[in-house]
Amino acid sequence: MKSYREELWMEVPARRGLVNITEKVEAALKESGVREGLALVNAMHITASVFINDDERGLHEDYEAWLEKLAPHEPVAGYRHNRTGEDNADAHMKRQIMGREVVVAVTGGKLDFGPWEQIFYGEFDGRRRKRVLIKIVGE
Amino acid sequence: MKSYREELWMEVPARRGLVNITEKVEAALKESGVREGLALVNAMHITASVFINDDERGLHEDYEAWLEKLAPHEPVAGYRHNRTGEDNADAHMKRQIMGREVVVAVTGGKLDFGPWEQIFYGEFDGRRRKRVLIKIVGE
Amino acid sequence: MKSYREELWMEVPARRGLVNITEKVEAALKESGVREGLALVNAMHITASVFINDDERGLHEDYEAWLEKLAPHEPVAGYRHNRTGEDNADAHMKRQIMGREVVVAVTGGKLDFGPWEQIFYGEFDGRRRKRVLIKIVGE
């Protein structure tokens, strides 16, 4: 069994933003030499997500509005977590809706994707450096 | 390491619907010959889900009502994504709540399930042919 | 390829509660002898979750309030599932938001975690014994 590990460093300049990391995962897969197996891609921070969806700007704006509706940032004092001095409790909620990780099949040395699947890093408490982990196992 | 891949074709006749695919995944597992490992089952489309829950009709009606409340289909023009000519932005939201994929342990050649676990395909933008990917790795 | 399986028995004395199971997963990983691979940790019951987030009491209270807002327990009769004699339909909803499972990379014999990642069992219909499955594959 082969095993490959890589970290991606992310730095989203705003509090929230989505970054397409598909090409970086593809590059890691190529580097790994794995032809058949599984690729795990996960946020290493608990106020961020890795998820698969469409690379369409309107949809990303819809996600922003929708997540703010389901788990609003304001009022900051409405969350007990923020009494610790943080202001990111909403980010911990948003990350649960969007998910921590994706597991992608590797077939013939490629990410085994449907026609529109793209991998995104979802940042909900940005303006600092954070990491994504790629772990690929197989042979 | 063994590796097995299969696609399931789905065609839900309504916009939304849930389909129990547990037996199809079990058949794929048998075909794979894998006794110990992991089975990944994921929607290949970004307006559909694969998830594990109960096969109970009332619950499925509750999911329908609940997802419509959290991410309503109407008004279609309320989503920026729908300005592209689509009317399925809500389906991209619903799929994030229900999830893209499940990873199931394979033990002794069987899906290693608790008493009520069943695998469902969740369609949120149906009336066309779409695919589910089954990837099984192990030995 | 090595494969290891362990069940954790949980018994949360209230209807809802969060339990940090990180140390138990670490102990299972040590027992498995796996150095490189993947660890799957999933709820075996469909009214419970396994998820990764922060071990901070205020945040856990925020999750409780937030999940009750998105999928309230009351009115019990508001869910069709509860006509079967159950009162746990809301628990099936809450579990979908928080997720069934996590997949964690194993690197150098350790859970390959970011600085704050902790694994939780999320109980939404407790006061009885329920199980979590740990499945570790690798070498």
Side-chain angles (χ1 to χ4, degrees), chain B residues 61-102:
Chain B
E61 294 176 8
D62 291 334
Y63 277 137
E64 162 65 18
W66 180 66
L67 290 169
E68 262 296 282
K69 190 176 150 201
L70 294 186
H73 180 68
E74 303 277 358
V76 168
Y79 296 100
R80 286 184 183 84
H81 178 59
N82 291 341
R83 295 181 193 168
T84 62
E86 298 281 358
D87 67 353
N88 64 6
D90 65 301
H92 291 273
M93 313 282 142
K94 290 172 169 113
R95 119 66 167 258
Q96 288 308 123
I97 289 178
M98 298 304 277
R100 168 187 179 260
E101 76 216 12
V102 295

Side-chain angles (χ1 to χ4, degrees), chain A residues 1 6 23 47:
Chain A
M1 200 196 76
E6 187 175 319
E23 286 183 13
T47 50

Side-chain angles (χ1 to χ4, degrees), chain A residues 7-22:
Chain A
E7 288 180 4
L8 303 181
W9 281 93
M10 312 299 300
E11 187 165 5
V12 171
R15 184 183 296 275
R16 291 189 291 276
L18 304 183
V19 182
N20 189 331
I21 59 172
T22 312

